[in-house]
Amino acid sequence: MRVLIDACVLYPTVMREVVLGCAREGLFEARWSDRILEEWARAAAKLGPEQALLARGEIAALGAAFPDAIVPDHQGLRARLWLPDPDDIHVLAAAVAGSCDAIMTTNAKDFPGNILADEGVFRVDPDAFLRSLLSEAPDQVGAVAEAVLAEANRLSERAWEMRALMKKARLPRLGKALVTKSH
């Protein structure tokens, strides 16, 4: 499955790391556009120049890790599309141009299913998508989540538990499923 990842999934860090860890495992093909990456960088810049610099470095690393992920801009395609929020049309255009099956976003209201279906795309919520991957490939998704947890604990001043970290990352059902799976 080829999935276009919206900026709201790429930033924050823990959600991004779990999603992209699963893509690195070959569980799906990740796609995005330069404009989506720029939205991530601008969101990070609101937290200060250090965060902006960090985001730019992470974006460069993504380019190396996922060399085929960038979908070129198709302005002509954007002109014929409609969404409730005109600022999101570029996301749908990138999904269509990149022959994506789905758009992964937390923004359900601005990506109505009927409009996406007309373009042959559907919306997936990161939490639900990752839970479905967990049921299909429990060892791989579990290993990705454990690696993200280990890195969070290495970088944090507090000790995280899986369920709490996933809940903070807006992946509560994945966190619950991971804890249930390990017992």
Side-chain angles (χ1 to χ4, degrees):
M1 174 184 291
R2 186 174 291 172
V3 180
L4 186 90
I5 304 173
D6 197 2
C8 61
V9 175
L10 291 171
Y11 183 75
T13 303
V14 171
M15 183 183 291
R16 174 182 69 249
E17 291 303 314
V18 176
V19 167
L20 294 182
C22 290
R24 280 187 193 91
E25 289 291 318
L27 301 176
F28 73 98
E29 292 179 46
R31 295 290 185 269
W32 45 74
S33 67
D34 284 328
R35 184 165 171 186
I36 288 170
L37 296 177
E38 186 57 32
E39 284 183 2
W40 166 15
R42 282 197 317 266
K46 291 177 183 174
L47 298 177
E50 317 80 38
Q51 290 300 314
L53 188 59
L54 184 60
R56 296 281 179 202
E58 289 172 346
I59 288 167
L62 276 188
F66 296 93
D68 299 327
I70 289 281
V71 175
D73 186 35
H74 288 275
Q75 286 187 341
L77 187 55
R78 283 199 323 250
R80 76 162 183 79
L81 296 172
W82 182 88
L83 284 172
D85 183 347
D87 289 338
D88 287 324
I89 291 173
H90 72 96
V91 176
L92 178 56
V96 172
S99 300
C100 294
D101 301 296
I103 296 171
M104 184 183 299
T105 184
T106 59
N107 181 1
K109 71 177 177 61
D110 289 330
F111 291 93
N114 60 327
I115 294 171
L116 298 184
D118 288 345
E119 299 300 330
V121 179
F122 60 96
R123 185 189 71 80
V124 294
D125 171 78
D127 196 20
F129 183 76
L130 292 167
R131 271 192 28 246
S132 72
L133 291 181
L134 179 65
S135 68
E136 296 167 17
D139 293 340
Q140 290 171 286
V141 176
V144 166
E146 287 295 336
V148 171
L149 176 63
E151 184 66 2
N153 281 326
R154 187 183 74 78
L155 295 173
S156 183
E157 296 174 5
R158 68 173 270 195
W160 286 98
E161 291 185 9
M162 183 66 75
R163 193 163 180 182
L165 180 65
M166 293 301 133
K167 183 176 181 180
K168 184 177 189 298
R170 295 182 299 156
L171 302 170
R173 292 175 294 174
L174 175 66
K176 181 178 181 181
L178 284 164
V179 171
T180 304
K181 177 184 98 52
S182 68
H183 285 81

